[in-house]
Amino acid sequence: MGIPGDRGEGEEQGEQQGEQQGGWHSEWQSGGWQSQWQQPGGWQQPAPPQTPQATGAGPSGWQQTADGRWVQSGAATSSGRATAALVLGILGLVFCPLICSVLALVFGYQSRREIDASGGQLSGRGSAVAGIVLGWIGVVIWALFVILIIIGLAVGDGSSGGGSPSGVPA
C-alpha cells in the first residue's frame, strides 16, 4: 500500500489490462481521487468541470446563476397589443363587427410596427397579423351588411303598388 500516486509494478500491469478491457478507473490528481467509468479502449483524462452561467431555469424565463442571483433569460415577451388585436378580431366576427374590428386593425398595425422595431425583444407578430386579418374580415362583413340594408330599403320603397288604389284598406 503506499501514499496516493505511488504505484507498484503489479498495479501498473493490472491497470494496463483494465485499459484494454474497459471498466471503472480511479486516479489521483491534484484535487483528490478522480474516478470514472471507461469504455474499452483506454484511460482518458476527464474533462475539467465547467461552471454554467445559469444553473436552473425558473418560471417565466428567469434563471438562477451560479452565485445564486436570479436573472431574466433572453426569452422574448409577447406583445400585449398583439394579443388584444387577436381578441378584438375574434370579438369583431362574433359580437360587434364595426367597433371591435376597427379596434383590431388599430391594435394589430400598432403591435406589428412595435414588434418589428423591438429587435427581437417582443414576440407575437403572428397574433398581430391574425388580428389584422380578422379585423379586415369583420369590416368587410359589416360593409356587406350595410350594402344589403341599403338595397333592401331601395327595393322596398319602389314596390308600394300592391294595395288598394285609393290607399284605404278595404
Side-chain angles (χ1 to χ4, degrees):
M1 191 130 173
I3 59 171
D6 278 351
R7 296 192 177 156
E9 292 177 17
E11 289 177 359
E12 290 177 2
Q13 290 173 355
E15 201 169 281
Q16 289 173 355
Q17 290 173 355
E19 288 176 3
Q20 295 169 356
Q21 297 172 357
W24 190 261
H25 296 280
S26 296
E27 181 179 80
W28 175 260
Q29 293 182 352
S30 62
W33 281 101
Q34 300 292 322
S35 299
Q36 183 176 5
W37 175 263
Q38 292 293 315
Q39 295 294 329
W43 174 261
Q44 298 173 353
Q45 182 71 20
Q50 298 177 354
T51 56
Q53 293 294 329
T55 56
S60 68
W62 288 86
Q63 292 183 336
Q64 190 173 16
T65 60
D67 60 353
R69 292 183 298 130
W70 284 92
V71 295
Q72 191 169 12
S73 65
T77 58
S78 182
S79 171
R81 288 184 182 171
T83 305
L86 180 61
V87 170
L88 287 168
I90 293 170
L91 289 176
L93 292 179
V94 176
F95 291 114
C96 50
L98 180 63
I99 297 170
C100 290
S101 295
V102 170
L103 287 174
L105 289 172
V106 170
F107 280 114
Y109 283 116
Q110 283 179 351
S111 64
R112 193 175 67 174
R113 194 176 316 117
E114 181 182 57
I115 291 167
D116 290 343
S118 72
Q121 294 296 321
L122 288 176
S123 66
R125 193 172 200 283
S127 296
V129 171
I132 292 169
V133 169
L134 291 173
W136 278 116
I137 291 172
V139 167
V140 168
I141 289 173
W142 179 77
L144 289 176
F145 182 71
V146 169
I147 291 171
L148 287 175
I149 290 176
I150 292 172
I151 290 174
L153 290 175
V155 171
D157 286 340
S159 64
S160 62
S164 63
S166 64
V168 179

